[in-house]
């Protein structure tokens, strides 16, 4: 998973920058509750006041008005005559059917189950274990397997958070050389669909857990590649399908510890053809003080999931232990890079 943060305005004095960072949660809560209430959908047909919306929604009209007024100050709504609000172009993106899956992403990022991990961030810093597991008693992905509705929200949120990455990866890396591309842990097929949609030569195999791949048909159909993809359910900690020319691990390794990654990579090493490629799609952290969204994402991994973001040097070391050799890192027009590896 991924998460971005808006940096404090640099022209502010240091104390004001810190306060701006610390109060960002209020804005996050406003947009989350707007998404949860489906306010953009309710305003899709035209302007309405809080009084008009409150009754059918069982809400307190004066309080709803205050929320909508705040949304207007954020550029999501605009206030017209008789205290009636309408959607702006930005607010249109909050509708449930709007491109980009912003609503689903906000439903996840502002949810109590995600928030509980960060509420226990100190526990993570003290123990190295996730705050999420302290709050819920089970690891993140075990929780999702037990809560299918939250799992669907998570899958849709990943499209929102990473939606620009698949076309950027397809444009930056030449997949035309491969006959079969295996997307390990490929979820709903967003990455594989973008790649096959751009390159007519290869076929694809989408591999993920049963409760995840159920959403794949819709995505693959939207990309027009349903007939070129085989969907297979399974667990990459046990095995991965063999015989592929290229194995993609997109936002997989950052979810796990080094030891767990070595298990996944070991299965990929046994499965890939001798002259094949392993392609790791991740936010490769730059060295030093350079800002990068992956450095904030690393805190998400610490608090929620238990994995980590890595530098190029760390990926090279990890791959070497698994019997691969890092051959190059291909940048894309997005925050992720393609870490290409071959058999050592």
């Amino acid at each position: 998973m991924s998460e971005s943060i808006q940096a404090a305005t640099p022209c502010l004095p240091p104390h004001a920058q810190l306060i701006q960072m610390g109060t960002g949660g209020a804005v996050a809560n406003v947009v989350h509750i707007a998404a949860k209430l489906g306010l953009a959908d309710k305003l899709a047909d035209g302007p309405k006041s809080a009084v008009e919306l409150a009754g059918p929604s069982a809400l307190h009209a004066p309080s709803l008005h205050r929320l909508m007024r705040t949304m207007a100050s954020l550029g999501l709504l605009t206030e017209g005559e008789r205290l009636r609000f309408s959607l702006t172009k930005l607010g249109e993106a909050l509708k449930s059917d709007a491109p980009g899956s912003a609503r689903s992403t906000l439903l996840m990022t502002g949810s109590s189950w995600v928030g509980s991990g960060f509420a226990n961030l100190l526990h993570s810093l003290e123990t190295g274990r996730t705050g999420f597991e302290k709050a819920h008693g089970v690891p993140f992905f075990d929780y999702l397997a037990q809560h299918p509705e939250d799992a669907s929200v998570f899958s849709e949120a990943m499209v929102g958070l990473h939606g620009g990455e698949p076309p950027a990866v397809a444009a930056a890396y030449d997949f035309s050389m491969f006959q079969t591309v295996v997307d390990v842990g490929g979820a709903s097929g967003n990455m594989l669909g973008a790649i096959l949609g751009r390159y007519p030569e290869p076929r694809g195999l989408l591999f993920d857990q049963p409760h995840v791949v159920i959403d794949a048909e819709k995505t693959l159909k939207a990309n027009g590649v349903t007939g070129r993809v085989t969907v297979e359910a399974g667990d990459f900690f046990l095995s991965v399908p063999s015989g592929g020319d290229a194995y993609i691990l997109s936002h997989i390794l950052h979810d796990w510890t080094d030891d767990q990654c070595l298990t996944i990579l070991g299965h990929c090493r046994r499965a890939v053809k001798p002259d094949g490629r392993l392609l790791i799609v991740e936010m490769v952290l730059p060295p030093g003080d350079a800002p990068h969204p992956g450095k904030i994402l690393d805190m998400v991994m610490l608090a929620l999931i238990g994995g980590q973001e890595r530098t190029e040097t760390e990926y090279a070391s990890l791959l070497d232990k698994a019997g691969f050799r890092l051959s190059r890192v291909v940048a894309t027009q997005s925050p992720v890079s393609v870490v290409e590896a071959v058999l050592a």
Side-chain angles (χ1 to χ4, degrees):
M1 66 184 288
S2 174
E3 193 163 300
S4 62
I5 189 168
Q6 183 175 351
T9 306
C11 61
L12 295 174
H15 75 277
Q17 292 184 49
L18 290 172
I19 292 170
Q20 186 181 66
M21 291 179 188
T23 55
V27 174
N29 282 315
V30 166
V31 294
H32 167 74
I33 198 64
K36 189 171 184 177
L37 293 173
L39 287 179
D41 290 337
K42 291 179 170 65
L43 292 169
D45 294 333
K48 293 183 178 65
S49 68
V51 172
E52 292 173 283
L53 293 174
S57 302
L59 297 171
H60 181 242
S63 298
L64 179 59
H65 174 78
R66 293 164 65 182
L67 174 73
M68 295 170 74
R69 179 175 61 193
T70 302
M71 291 173 64
S73 76
L74 296 171
L76 299 170
L77 304 178
T78 182
E79 184 176 352
E81 297 179 353
R82 294 178 293 153
L83 304 180
R84 303 178 95 213
F85 293 86
S86 56
L87 291 170
T88 62
K89 184 176 181 180
L90 180 61
E92 292 274 353
L94 195 55
K95 293 193 297 185
S96 58
D97 60 352
S101 300
R103 181 172 183 263
S104 294
T105 305
L106 294 172
L107 287 176
M108 186 199 74
T109 58
S111 68
S112 60
W113 46 280
V114 166
S116 64
F118 281 100
N120 289 283
L121 182 58
L122 179 59
H123 171 76
S124 300
L125 294 170
E126 292 172 339
T127 67
R129 299 179 64 83
T130 67
F132 185 92
E133 188 168 354
K134 182 178 188 298
H136 295 276
V138 295
F140 187 84
F141 290 112
D142 290 355
Y143 171 90
L144 291 183
Q146 298 166 11
H147 298 80
E149 289 186 5
D150 291 340
S152 290
V153 169
F154 176 79
S155 293
E156 291 176 18
M158 291 305 98
V159 175
L161 289 166
H162 303 300
E165 295 172 6
V169 168
Y173 190 92
D174 182 9
F175 288 86
S176 64
M177 69 184 89
F178 304 121
Q179 291 183 334
T180 303
V181 177
V182 182
D183 194 352
V184 178
S188 60
N190 202 40
M191 178 65 72
L192 192 57
I195 291 169
L196 298 185
R198 185 180 181 95
Y199 298 92
E201 299 89 353
R203 294 185 60 82
L205 194 157
L206 180 66
F207 181 76
D208 212 324
Q209 296 187 69
H211 71 277
V212 177
V213 295
I214 57 174
D215 296 325
E217 184 177 354
K218 178 176 66 175
T219 304
L220 297 172
K221 185 176 181 180
N223 282 277
V225 298
T226 307
R228 295 164 55 206
V229 178
T230 301
V231 178
E232 185 173 330
D235 184 343
F236 51 55
F237 280 115
L238 301 177
S239 67
V240 301
S242 62
D245 304 291
Y247 282 75
I248 301 173
L249 293 169
S250 177
H251 293 296
I252 299 299
L253 296 187
H254 80 154
D255 288 336
W256 308 103
T257 65
D258 282 1
D259 286 343
Q260 291 169 316
C261 287
L262 289 174
T263 298
I264 300 168
L265 290 171
H267 293 315
C268 291
R269 189 183 191 283
R270 286 185 287 275
V272 67
K273 290 181 178 179
D275 58 348
R277 297 289 185 274
L278 176 70
L279 306 173
I280 300 168
V281 179
E282 296 281 8
M283 295 187 187
V284 180
L285 300 183
D289 299 340
H292 191 277
K295 294 182 178 180
I296 294 298
L297 178 57
D298 198 30
M299 292 296 96
V300 177
M301 310 314 294
L302 176 64
L304 297 183
I305 297 179
Q308 66 180 91
E309 304 305 317
R310 296 174 174 88
T311 64
E312 180 177 347
T313 300
E314 289 169 330
Y315 275 116
S317 175
L318 185 64
L319 287 164
D320 181 68
K321 292 175 184 176
F324 286 97
R325 176 177 59 82
L326 193 157
S327 53
R328 58 176 174 150
V329 176
V330 180
T332 75
Q333 294 296 315
S334 77
V336 300
S337 298
V338 181
V339 179
E340 181 192 68
V342 296
L343 292 176

